[in-house]
Amino acid sequence: KWTVSPITLLFDDKLIAYAEDDHFTTPLAQFQSHFLFNGGWYKNPNHIPDNVDKMRHIPCIIMQGRYDIICHFKTAWDLHWRRPEGEFHTVQGTGCSTQEKGIKGRLIAAANKFRNM
């Protein structure tokens, strides 16, 4: 319950109910513990910023929920600053969840844009 409640801007009863199910929470806790303990999948915390020049040929759309308290706005802005040729969208009225209406709509639009490349 406490793991998922901060990911949405508005309280989501369905998400909280889902998060109280051990079939969801146990694997999530294992994944998060492994991810955090091992520093994610990067070689160092600055892996993406340090290697942004190697990725310039890959189309990029950065989306940041305006009220995201999990992935801080500064991180997305710093990446955009290092890679200004990519699109940057601040999604108003959202937190971190891909299931929030604004984020979900932007992700679908981005996927469609990439599909048509």
Side-chain angles (χ1 to χ4, degrees), residues 33-50:
S33 296
H34 177 80
F35 185 84
L36 295 171
F37 181 77
N38 292 294
W41 53 78
Y42 305 115
K43 295 177 182 178
N44 67 64
N46 293 317
H47 183 78
I48 290 179
D50 290 348

Side-chain angles (χ1 to χ4, degrees), residues 33-108:
S33 296
H34 177 80
F35 185 84
L36 295 171
F37 181 77
N38 292 294
W41 53 78
Y42 305 115
K43 295 177 182 178
N44 67 64
N46 293 317
H47 183 78
I48 290 179
D50 290 348
N51 291 284
V52 75
D53 288 332
K54 295 177 184 175
M55 298 179 267
R56 288 199 189 279
H57 67 285
I58 301 170
C60 174
I61 300 174
I62 301 167
M63 283 173 249
Q64 178 69 35
R66 175 64 182 94
Y67 300 99
D68 186 341
I69 61 171
I70 306 297
C71 302
H72 300 282
F73 188 89
K74 184 176 182 336
T75 307
W77 181 253
D78 288 350
L79 178 59
H80 178 61
W81 185 81
R82 287 179 180 242
R83 190 172 174 188
E85 69 276 6
E87 291 181 34
F88 181 81
H89 301 280
T90 301
V91 186
Q92 297 297 326
T94 62
C96 185
S97 175
T98 59
Q99 297 306 305
E100 290 182 280
K101 187 176 180 180
I103 295 280
K104 191 179 218 177
R106 292 278 186 160
L107 288 171
I108 291 169

